[in-house]
Structures are given as C-alpha cells and as structure tokens.
Amino acid sequence: MSNYKPSILIVDDEEDILEFISYNLEKENFQVFTANNGRDALKTANVEKPDLIILDIMMPEMDGVEVCKLLRQDERFNETIIAFLTARGEDYIHTSSLDVGGDDFINKPIKPSVLVSRINALLRRTSKFKASTEAPAHIILGDLELDEESFLVKKLGEELELPRKEFQILALLMSKPGKVFSRDVIFRKIWGADVIVGNRTIDVHIRKLREKIGEQYIKTVKGIGYKFDF
C-alpha cells in the first residue's frame, strides 16, 4: 500500500477550479481525474472507481446532490468518500447533501495546504487506508499539530499543555475532521463503556479545549455532539 497512489475525481464546472485542485493534488502524488458536469462525473466514476470524489453542488446537466444520490445507490461506491465543494453555507444545502450520503464539505476558497490536509484526513476514514493510521497519529490541521506518540499539541509551533482527557478528545475529533461525534461516542471512546459521566463533564472539557486552541476549531452540533472543523 505504500506505493499506492490514492485516486481522486474532481467535479466542477469552473475550469480554473479544476486546474487549481488538480495541480495541488498531483504535486502530492495523488492520481487525479476530472469532470465538468454531473453526467461525465458518473461515467468517469464508473470507469476509474476513485477512492474519493470531490463534487461541486451547483453544476449543469446534473447537480452534485443528484450525482451523490446515484453513486450511493451503487454498492461499488460504498467505501468511496464523497465530499462536496461549495461556497454556500446555507443549512438546507448541507442537510440535503448529507441526506443523500455525502461525507463532508470543502469550502471555497481553500488554501492548497489545507486542501491536502483535508483530503488526507478524509481518506483515513476508509478501510483501505486505515492500516496507515494504526500507528500513533501525527495530524496537522490548520494551525494545529497533534502527535499521539509524544502526547504533544502545538498551535503555530507553540506547545500547548493539555490534560489527558482533553488531549484524547482533541485527538478523536481531529482524526476525522468534519465528522460529527455524538456525546455517547465520545464517552465510550474516551471514558469507556463502564464509566458513567454526565453531559456537563464533556461540555466542560470542550470549553477548556476551546480556550486553549481557539474557538473556531470545535463546532457544536446542536442536540448531537461536536466536530472538528478548520
């Protein structure tokens, strides 16, 4: 697997965006395919079977939501990560995209370094690439760097002091940026199934984390839990 080049299909009707993303991903040794409308995206996906698909939402002929819906009806794409590329932040856009099986969002515009970090984080969700994450994780997202082996967190190169539980929560959230972790999942993974703690406990840990790393990284998803975003 070390010599394997992850394949990515980029779908957008704006040629400059296709060129920008393709150039930056090919530099990082990804295999890149492109399409500029939904129908061509389906044809390319069927031939190439990419590991990850980046879909623009608003496109001619067939929009990204419809493309995602059709792909999710095909079991060959069960393991394929689908991320929506969008400059639109309305809740209903996000909701409809997730309802048809989307995994995450990549907001326009995006810096090349952030794009590559986000792509690598998304690929780690698939079983094909999980073997590379069995070792202690070393994650760089935005201004934050986390190393599980050395139990170290840095922001802009400056080391932060985090108690063990705060570190473990941050490592969990950073392991899958954009994924919403419910409180129950966080409890089980950090405290264990046999330990009973109240909702207030996790809220306090999150509040302290935000004070140290910045308010912008950990988002509250009302009534569900938390996610890491950058």
Side-chain angles (χ1 to χ4, degrees):
M1 186 64 67
S2 60
N3 295 322
Y4 180 77
K5 295 173 65 173
S7 57
I8 300 174
L9 170 60
I10 309 162
V11 190
D12 199 295
D13 61 333
E14 296 184 43
E15 191 64 32
D16 58 338
I17 292 178
L18 285 180
E19 291 180 359
F20 169 78
I21 297 178
S22 298
Y23 172 75
N24 284 286
L25 294 184
E26 286 172 346
K27 278 202 313 181
E28 298 297 325
N29 206 36
F30 292 109
Q31 185 179 12
V32 177
F33 308 100
T34 62
N36 56 22
N37 64 69
R39 295 192 186 280
D40 286 348
L42 290 174
K43 293 176 184 177
T44 304
N46 279 312
V47 172
E48 305 296 346
K49 310 296 188 305
D51 299 305
L52 185 147
I53 300 174
I54 301 174
L55 276 176
D56 188 27
I57 291 182
M58 307 302 292
M59 294 186 295
E61 298 192 39
M62 184 183 295
D63 65 29
V65 173
E66 183 64 20
V67 172
C68 182
K69 182 178 179 180
L70 292 172
L71 289 170
R72 288 305 188 214
Q73 293 172 357
D74 188 333
E75 64 181 12
R76 293 176 301 165
F77 297 100
N78 287 348
E79 280 280 305
T80 303
I81 293 290
I82 299 177
F84 286 98
L85 185 66
T86 178
R88 303 179 65 176
E90 297 94 329
D91 287 343
Y92 77 91
I93 291 288
H94 285 197
T95 300
S96 61
S97 303
L98 295 175
D99 285 346
V100 295
D103 294 290
D104 206 349
F105 297 91
I106 297 175
N107 293 320
K108 305 175 186 177
I110 188 167
K111 295 179 180 179
S113 59
V114 176
L115 172 66
V116 172
S117 293
R118 178 64 64 88
I119 295 301
N120 283 323
L122 288 170
L123 287 171
R124 287 198 295 269
R125 298 186 189 181
T126 67
S127 60
K128 184 184 295 186
F129 299 97
K130 280 179 181 176
S132 64
T133 62
E134 289 175 357
H138 185 182
I139 307 170
I140 301 176
L141 297 174
D143 295 332
L144 296 178
E145 178 181 358
L146 182 144
D147 189 286
E148 286 189 326
E149 187 171 22
S150 59
F151 201 77
L152 181 69
V153 176
K154 292 182 179 180
K155 181 178 181 181
L156 293 172
E158 183 176 344
E159 186 173 343
L160 304 178
E161 292 188 10
L162 299 182
R164 179 170 293 276
K165 294 301 183 188
E166 290 179 25
F167 180 89
Q168 290 173 331
I169 292 172
L170 181 60
L172 175 64
L173 296 178
M174 288 182 69
S175 71
K176 296 182 178 180
K179 176 181 173 61
V180 179
F181 289 90
S182 69
R183 285 183 171 85
D184 287 342
V185 169
I186 296 173
F187 287 151
R188 288 199 305 271
K189 289 185 175 292
I190 305 303
W191 279 271
D194 297 328
V195 178
I196 300 176
V197 295
N199 283 346
R200 182 61 180 161
T201 300
I202 189 170
D203 293 340
V204 169
H205 281 79
I206 293 293
R207 176 176 58 79
K208 291 180 178 179
L209 264 177
R210 284 172 171 157
E211 290 173 354
K212 295 167 184 174
I213 69 173
E215 296 284 337
Q216 71 272 28
Y217 288 111
I218 300 178
K219 308 295 185 185
T220 300
V221 181
K222 190 174 181 180
I224 302 177
Y226 299 95
K227 68 175 182 177
F228 186 92
D229 206 355
F230 67 103

